Amino acid sequence: MKKWIVVLFALLPSIALAAGGNVHLDKANNDLTDKASLQNGAKLFVNYCLGCHSTQYQRYERVANDLDIPVELAKESLVFDPEAKIGDLMVNSMPQKQAANWFGAPPPDLTLVARVRGADWLYTYLRSFYADPSRPFGVNNVTFPNVGMPHVLEELQGVPSAIYETKMVDGEEVKAIVGTETDGRGELSSSEYDSAVRDLVNFLEYSGDPVKLERHALGWWVMAFLVLFTIVVVLLKKEYWRDVH
């Protein structure tokens, strides 16, 4: 019994991460079959995320092949490190100790972030930043309060601000954040920004499980084989037991 209790408590943090807390999560509705979305997501990742975060279990060449990106174009558009090769892992050169000093903790690897957090959590998180002068980078996040990360997509979205609503809590009025809005000065409109974030999340979900679509397709063939094998076994059993009776 004690062993089961220990296992349960060990799993609670991962369960909480996957659930995303009590924050309402918007549906990402991304599509792993949409190569154009995945290509744009890869471009956004290397331009806005790879400077701090890595996907150390993913290779440039694998991404190019899976997303139908010509190798030469991939070298030009995805590989910015002059010393990196197309077959290298997608890692950055940021020293971990310096990163810890700058951000409070080293930026995590994002290869499996979509599997740990979930696509809906990522989609909501990247659209939940708002201006907060009290924070080191001048922004906070509704989905992940007090996160030690700058709003790297701010030039695309614009400067977001929080929308407050007064609620009654234990008989007292409390101002709570119910959403965000932007100043409209970003490079993208609100709908275009949502689409760009969806593409980025789509790429991160692909990175966490590159063979997901192949595995699902193979699963149908396995199920079909098991059904046919079961029919053969049942017929064979009946044939053998006919002589016994």
Side-chain angles (χ1 to χ4, degrees):
M1 183 64 180
K2 291 182 178 179
K3 291 183 178 180
W4 285 108
I5 294 175
V6 172
V7 171
L8 178 61
F9 275 96
L11 289 175
L12 280 177
S14 60
I15 294 173
L17 281 175
N22 296 322
V23 178
H24 169 75
L25 301 180
D26 298 327
K27 292 294 182 181
N29 294 323
N30 53 313
D31 182 4
L32 291 174
T33 66
D34 189 344
K35 292 293 179 67
S37 170
L38 290 168
Q39 291 169 3
N40 189 48
K43 182 182 72 173
L44 290 169
F45 178 80
V46 298
N47 278 280
Y48 293 97
C49 306
L50 190 57
C52 296
H53 299 277
S54 298
T55 48
Q56 61 181 346
Y57 305 111
Q58 183 67 279
R59 296 183 184 275
Y60 293 104
E61 189 173 21
R62 173 64 186 268
V63 170
N65 292 335
D66 286 350
L67 306 189
D68 295 336
I69 303 174
V71 173
E72 291 303 319
L73 180 60
K75 290 180 180 179
E76 179 183 344
S77 304
L78 302 181
V79 186
F80 296 149
D81 185 349
E83 298 182 359
K85 299 178 181 179
I86 190 67
D88 287 349
L89 295 168
M90 299 178 67
V91 297
N92 59 43
S93 57
M94 178 182 292
Q96 293 294 298
K97 290 185 178 180
Q98 291 187 19
N101 291 331
W102 296 334
F103 301 102
D109 180 84
L110 298 183
T111 313
L112 302 176
V113 66
R115 299 184 68 173
V116 175
R117 291 287 192 176
D120 293 344
W121 189 94
L122 284 175
Y123 179 66
T124 306
Y125 166 71
L126 291 172
R127 297 163 49 253
S128 298
F129 281 94
Y130 64 92
D132 183 354
S134 68
R135 298 296 299 157
F137 293 104
V139 292
N140 210 325
N141 193 283
V142 179
T143 306
F144 194 156
N146 299 326
V147 64
M149 172 180 164
H151 183 22
V152 295
L153 302 178
E154 186 174 298
E155 69 176 52
L156 301 181
Q157 185 187 23
V159 179
S161 58
I163 301 174
Y164 292 91
E165 183 178 283
T166 302
K167 298 182 178 181
M168 296 297 295
V169 178
D170 296 331
E172 297 183 0
E173 291 187 352
V174 177
K175 291 181 66 177
I177 299 176
V178 294
T180 62
E181 59 183 359
T182 63
D183 58 2
R185 297 180 181 178
E187 296 179 7
L188 304 177
S189 65
S190 178
S191 60
E192 289 172 338
Y193 180 74
D194 289 349
S195 180
V197 170
R198 184 175 291 108
D199 293 344
L200 178 55
V201 172
N202 203 16
F203 173 75
L204 290 173
E205 183 173 357
Y206 149 77
S207 293
D209 193 356
V211 297
K212 183 176 182 177
L213 295 180
E214 297 176 26
R215 191 177 68 253
H216 286 185
L218 181 62
W220 287 108
W221 286 104
V222 172
M223 293 299 294
F225 168 78
L226 292 176
V227 170
L228 292 175
F229 182 74
T230 301
I231 294 173
V232 172
V233 170
V234 170
L235 294 176
L236 186 62
K237 172 184 175 296
K238 288 183 177 181
E239 182 64 26
Y240 276 115
W241 279 90
R242 181 182 303 167
D243 296 335
V244 174
H245 293 304

